Amino acid sequence: MVTEVLEKVLIEALDAYILETVKVVKSNRPDLCDYQFDGAFQLAKLYKKSPMEIAEEISCVLRESSYFKKVEAVTPGFINMTLSDSFMNQILRDMKKFPKFNLPQVEPTLTYVIDYGGPNIAKPLHVGHLRPAIVGESIKRIIAYVGHKVIGDVHFGDFGLQIGEVIYGMQKEHISVEDVTLEDLNRLYPEISALCKEDEVVKETCENITKELQDGSLEYERYYRKIFDLSKKDIVRIYKYLDVDFDLWYGEMDSRAFIPLVEKILVEKSLAYISEGALVVDVTEETDKKEIPPLIFKKRNNGYLYGSTDMATIYQREKDFHPDYILYVADLRQSLHFNQVFRASLKAGITDAQLEHIGFGTINGNDGKPYKTRSGKTPKLDALFKEVEELFVESKETNKDMSEEDKKRIVNSILKFADLQNNREKDYIFDGKKFSDVVGKTGPYVLYTYLRIKRILELEEYKENGLSDTIYNEYDRNLRLQLLDFHKDVLGAFHLRLPSVIASYIYDLCVCLNTFYQNNHVSKLEDETKKQDWLFVLALAKDVLKELLNLLGIEIPSMM
Ligand code: ARG
């Protein structure tokens, strides 16, 4: 990694000076230099000298290094560094030569469980399920890429009232377990759920059915199995469209066997007590600024809740995988829930894993409210895919002739690049027209850039016989400099759990590639060394682009 190498050089250059952390950063004035070191200010205080004097001294030593073309001490004490062509090219050669572009290996390899997607059985997937799927899939791929072991779990919501409601609806309409269809489920859930809001008696009946199912009623289990299978099949179809896949297709129900075990621990360790008939766990901590209410483990009617299944699932994951981390990619609005579950689990000692809630914001429409279709409904995901595909097809005459597979890849790129370019915690406005344009910060722009570079490499004869030490002009240099950021940004995305770091790297790389292409005409070159050098850089950029798109879950169409 460039910054790491430069930090080593600096530590040597500091010689007699001792600084706790030596940090080199990308320059915030790329017109002046590539990297900078601002440690002279701290050293000045420690050694009672002027920052400028120290900066001068260190710069003098740095100038001896072959890594720099230019080193400047700038008032009042900054050190500006410009990399030498030979150093830049050596890093590019290593990127080309070693696996994963010479990304440093993580030590030690840890085990991550990532809980994402979180669809609910018996309810069709809607636009609100897009982010947990897209963000989660990307974070999972990033974790695996840096070298950790990662297990993705879909964690179906299949323990809640919606199951009781659908069973009630089936019984009311005399629909047998054998005959029930997906259409029945999609119709019954909203119908009965609306009825429950009006009719207390119906609601209580549905709650009792749910409770009996949770307690192991064999009759309701038969219903549940069928509902689960039908619903899961449809959810899998949609995830397949989105190229989202899981190692475990477990649900809340799979944690059922562990609920009594967790309850026993809570009671034995005197962590749970009865409050207004319910069994609750106090999770407050002395340093709390806001009141954190207790986690309700068991309701007054002896039913269990979202928090109970989440704790039981932690118990189960600990037993099965001994994970070092468990990550939950879920709506930011659930942060209180996760806070309660994490605290209660740590108190109960049911896991040693680090528990992290990876929160995300909402997808809004142009009016700033949660996104609706042209017809004013919260769109089901199927409808959203269709809407986006139509927008893309309408945008250019020839788009309609593309294969179905390519159209699907493009719809994915539109949805995913629109989403992942935002810091996940922020809400964003979904503007289908803007996001499906080939101009701008969009999936089609990135894919188009990739395909254009691929085409150049196919037309020209690229011989893969290395890279000389020359960099030919500023467009060339900017592209190479951008490639050097690869390691920093992949690791940054991993540490921060922010795919947006990779998305913005991808966009910047595409801008560099397009400027390079517009100003440097590879095909007209007679100088064979220069041509091969440029093809080397383009080939490397193309491979990097493909790898990073894959980390965002974006596949490349055969043509555009
Ligand atoms: N099914 C939940 C929902 O629709 C999300 C589940 C998130 N994961 C978890 N372990 N709680 O809101």
Side-chain angles (χ1 to χ4, degrees), residues 115-121 123 126 128-129 132 153-158 162 252 306 309-310 313 317 326-331 334 337-338 341 360:
D115 174 318
Y116 69 105
N120 297 313
I121 289 296
K123 300 185 194 175
H126 58 78
H129 292 101
D153 182 4
V154 71
H155 201 71
F156 285 117
D158 59 355
Q162 84 269 22
E252 294 167 332
Y306 192 32
T309 55
D310 262 334
T313 304
R317 288 172 177 159
I326 306 177
L327 313 184
Y328 296 82
V329 181
D331 198 309
Q334 295 192 20
H337 163 76
F338 285 110
V341 167
F360 55 79

Side-chain angles (χ1 to χ4, degrees), residues 416-432:
K416 292 177 180 177
F417 205 74
D419 195 303
L420 297 175
Q421 65 183 263
N422 302 288
N423 178 315
R424 59 179 157 74
E425 297 205 338
K426 296 232 168 67
D427 299 346
Y428 71 94
I429 292 180
F430 189 83
D431 180 339

Side-chain angles (χ1 to χ4, degrees), residues 39 44 74 203 210 280 310 321 378 393 406 416 423 493 528 550:
V74 188
K203 188 172 165 213
T210 311
V280 306
D310 262 334
F321 308 111
T378 296
V393 169
D406 277 354
K416 292 177 180 177
N423 178 315
E528 189 56 24
N550 185 43

